[in-house]
Amino acid sequence: MAAEATLPAEFAEEAGAGFRHTRYALGQIAIYAALVFWAFISLFPVYWTITTSMKVAKDVQLGHLIPFVDFQPNWLGWRSLGLSPDTIGNVSTVRSEFLQRFLNSVTTAVGASILAVLIGALAAYGLSRFQYKFLWMRNKDISFFFLSQLILPPVVLALPFLVLYRELALLDTSIGLTLLYTLTVLPIVIWIMKDQFDTIPTEIDEAAQVDGLGSWGTFFRIILPMALPGMVAAFILSLILCWNEYFFAALLTSTNAKTLPVMVASQTGSQGINWWSMAALSTSAIAPLVVVGIFLERYIIKGLTAGAVK
């Protein structure tokens, strides 16, 4: 009789476990379905750009999407840049211009990102470890002041920078564009790095100073290596923002220092937009950022692991 009384309880427990397992599986399926759907929405513009670079005018106008099914891939867009397999070995004025614009983008974006990370790390460490007083402003006010610079529309700074750069002979120069890009991304770098330094206990600084290191030694030899994940994240974000910046590049450059976004926007003619050429240029502009993201992702994971060990 006792064994018979326990059977319903055992069945109820098994049924409850099966229900929980089913609910968990359905939840996982829903999560992965949402992620796949969001990945499709996010990556579709990239797919459209890559496929458009291999279309002719008819395929672009008809909206064909699937290669070898809706249309036969063509090198028209890449041929217009001198980057197709049949033109890569020939002399091309357009290809030379593209390579110059690509080099300008690399120089300004990488240079501005490195400068912003170096300066921003110093400013963020000071705001995280020391207490400042400037007039009525304290650390929180100073941090908010840096962050508030992102609220200012770039067009407001157009005329002042145009006049300033004309007086300093920095118009149409990569140096002038690099310095301006450094200023534009510096608030974001300070914001990211300050949060990173705030997570590092101050006891580590004190222990380093007890061992004989000064403030600079503590920062460069102890704290900065531990903040490597934040530095890499700030660098990648700055690189993306500088690489894609168009407004100031179009305003302050004319011939020598033009970047890829300006060249992409200029792919218009008397008969309309050359979608295949614009798509080929856009694909060329996207590819370096994808490679950088894949390459530096390893360093982010390595930095997180090293920080956990330390």
Side-chain angles (χ1 to χ4, degrees), residues 53-242:
S53 69
M54 299 181 180
K55 297 178 183 178
V56 295
K58 178 187 69 174
D59 297 322
V60 174
Q61 294 170 358
L62 294 178
H64 293 159
L65 293 176
I66 305 176
F68 301 105
V69 177
D70 292 335
F71 68 94
Q72 289 298 319
N74 190 286
W75 292 104
L76 178 62
W78 298 96
R79 189 177 295 113
S80 65
L81 300 178
L83 296 175
S84 61
D86 57 336
T87 60
I88 194 68
N90 302 329
V91 177
S92 173
T93 304
V94 180
R95 184 173 65 244
S96 300
E97 182 184 0
F98 164 76
L99 294 176
Q100 181 61 45
R101 306 297 173 241
F102 184 87
L103 181 61
N104 290 341
S105 293
V106 171
T107 302
T108 54
V110 174
S113 300
I114 293 175
L115 279 176
V117 169
L118 292 177
I119 299 173
L122 291 170
Y125 181 72
L127 291 171
S128 176
R129 290 298 192 265
F130 306 102
Q131 296 299 318
Y132 296 99
K133 179 181 178 182
F134 180 72
L135 299 178
W136 71 92
M137 302 176 66
R138 303 295 188 272
N139 282 37
K140 290 184 179 180
D141 301 314
I142 297 173
S143 299
F144 178 76
F145 171 77
F146 284 126
L147 199 58
S148 66
Q149 304 307 304
L150 299 175
I151 305 174
L152 196 64
V155 68
V156 176
L157 303 175
L159 185 59
F161 271 105
L162 194 61
V163 175
L164 177 64
Y165 272 38
R166 184 186 61 183
E167 295 298 325
L168 297 177
L170 290 176
L171 287 176
D172 199 20
T173 63
S174 296
I175 295 177
L177 212 55
T178 301
L179 294 176
L180 180 57
Y181 285 176
T182 302
L183 291 176
T184 57
V185 300
L186 193 57
I188 299 178
V189 174
I190 294 175
W191 176 40
I192 295 175
M193 293 305 300
K194 185 179 183 301
D195 287 342
Q196 186 72 19
F197 289 135
D198 287 342
T199 60
I200 300 175
T202 56
E203 289 77 9
I204 296 178
D205 302 60
E206 296 170 357
Q209 292 176 4
V210 169
D211 290 339
L213 289 177
S215 298
W216 289 101
T218 301
F219 174 72
F220 284 108
R221 297 179 60 180
I222 305 298
I223 304 301
L224 207 57
M226 298 181 66
L228 182 61
M231 293 185 66
V232 175
F235 176 80
I236 293 176
L237 182 58
S238 301
L239 185 66
I240 293 173
L241 293 175
C242 295

Side-chain angles (χ1 to χ4, degrees), residues 250-267:
L251 177 70
L252 301 177
T253 63
S254 57
T255 305
N256 299 322
K258 275 188 177 180
T259 57
L260 273 182
V262 180
M263 189 177 181
V264 171
S266 65
Q267 297 304 305

Side-chain angles (χ1 to χ4, degrees), residues 43-56 60 64-67 71 73-78 275-287 290:
L43 295 178
F44 180 78
V46 179
Y47 169 80
W48 183 88
T49 301
I50 295 174
T51 55
T52 302
S53 69
M54 299 181 180
K55 297 178 183 178
V56 295
V60 174
H64 293 159
L65 293 176
I66 305 176
F71 68 94
N74 190 286
W75 292 104
L76 178 62
W78 298 96
W275 292 106
W276 41 92
S277 300
M278 183 177 288
L281 271 173
S282 300
T283 303
S284 303
I286 293 170
V290 174

